[in-house]
Amino acid sequence: MQLTKWQPFHELEDFFRRISPGTNGTSLAQFDDDGRNIARWAPSADITESKRAYLVKAQLPDVDKEDIRVTIQHGMLTITGERKHSKEDEEETYHRVESFYGEFTRSFSLPDNIDDAGITADYKKGVLRVHIPKLKETPKESSTKIKVS
C-alpha cells in the first residue's frame, strides 16, 4: 500500500481553481501585452472504472499531440503539456480572448491494483485517453513475523 500525505483542503482548492480558472487560485486573471490570458489552467478530466481497467479522459482542445507528456512515478499519473497561442494574422485585432493558454499539469493518485507495464494512451479530437489496466490478481500484502526479544 502506498502512503500519501493527507492534504485536507487540496480537493477544495482544486475545485475552486477549476471553476474560476482565471483567478489562478490567488488573484485576477493575468494578461500579456496582446490581451491574451496567460493564467495557468488545468484541463478537466473524467475517470471511470470497469472490471478490467481504469480510464482517464482529459479534455485538451487545441493542444498538439507533441506537446503532451504522460508519466507514472511513485504511484502518480501526471499529465503535463502546453496549449500554445498562435497569432495567425497580424491584421487581426482580438476583442475578447476567453481561452486559456500556457503550460498545464494534472496529477492523479493511482490505486495499488494496476498493471504499470500495460498502460497506454491515445489522443483524438482533443481528448487524451489514458487506459490503465488492472492486475489480474490483487497484490497480496506481505506480512513478516517479527520475533520480540
Side-chain angles (χ1 to χ4, degrees):
M1 179 161 98
Q2 175 184 346
L3 295 177
T4 305
K5 182 179 178 184
W6 182 51
Q7 297 174 342
F9 297 106
H10 179 73
E11 288 185 19
L12 186 60
E13 289 171 355
D14 185 50
F15 170 75
F16 282 115
R17 271 194 299 270
R18 288 178 24 87
I19 65 168
S20 318
T23 63
N24 197 18
T26 55
S27 61
L28 296 175
Q30 302 168 0
F31 298 93
D32 66 6
D33 293 335
D34 294 328
R36 293 179 306 220
N37 192 332
I38 57 171
R40 293 186 53 85
W41 67 285
S44 59
D46 299 330
I47 302 173
T48 58
E49 178 182 4
S50 68
K51 290 180 182 180
R52 287 178 273 202
Y54 297 95
L55 175 63
V56 177
K57 290 185 349 184
Q59 308 295 323
L60 301 173
D62 285 339
V63 177
D64 293 330
K65 183 178 173 179
E66 297 77 27
D67 293 328
I68 301 170
R69 290 171 301 289
V70 179
T71 58
I72 305 266
Q73 187 175 20
H74 304 297
M76 294 290 285
L77 167 71
T78 302
I79 302 169
T80 57
E82 181 178 7
R83 180 167 37 195
K84 299 175 183 172
H85 182 74
S86 60
K87 203 169 194 178
E88 285 116 26
D89 189 355
E90 289 293 323
E91 295 185 18
E92 283 184 341
T93 302
Y94 289 89
H95 291 283
R96 185 179 193 112
V97 177
E98 293 183 352
S99 301
F100 290 91
Y101 297 92
E103 295 181 359
F104 61 86
T105 300
R106 288 295 308 266
S107 294
F108 306 95
S109 181
L110 295 173
D112 292 332
N113 66 334
I114 64 161
D115 178 10
D116 287 359
I119 296 174
T120 60
D122 60 80
Y123 184 64
K124 294 178 190 165
K125 297 182 179 180
V127 179
L128 174 70
R129 289 174 179 79
V130 182
H131 306 269
I132 307 166
K134 294 179 180 180
L135 292 171
K136 295 190 193 288
E137 293 182 19
T138 305
K140 296 179 182 177
E141 290 193 33
S142 60
S143 64
T144 305
K145 187 173 184 177
I146 300 170
K147 183 179 178 183
V148 179
S149 53

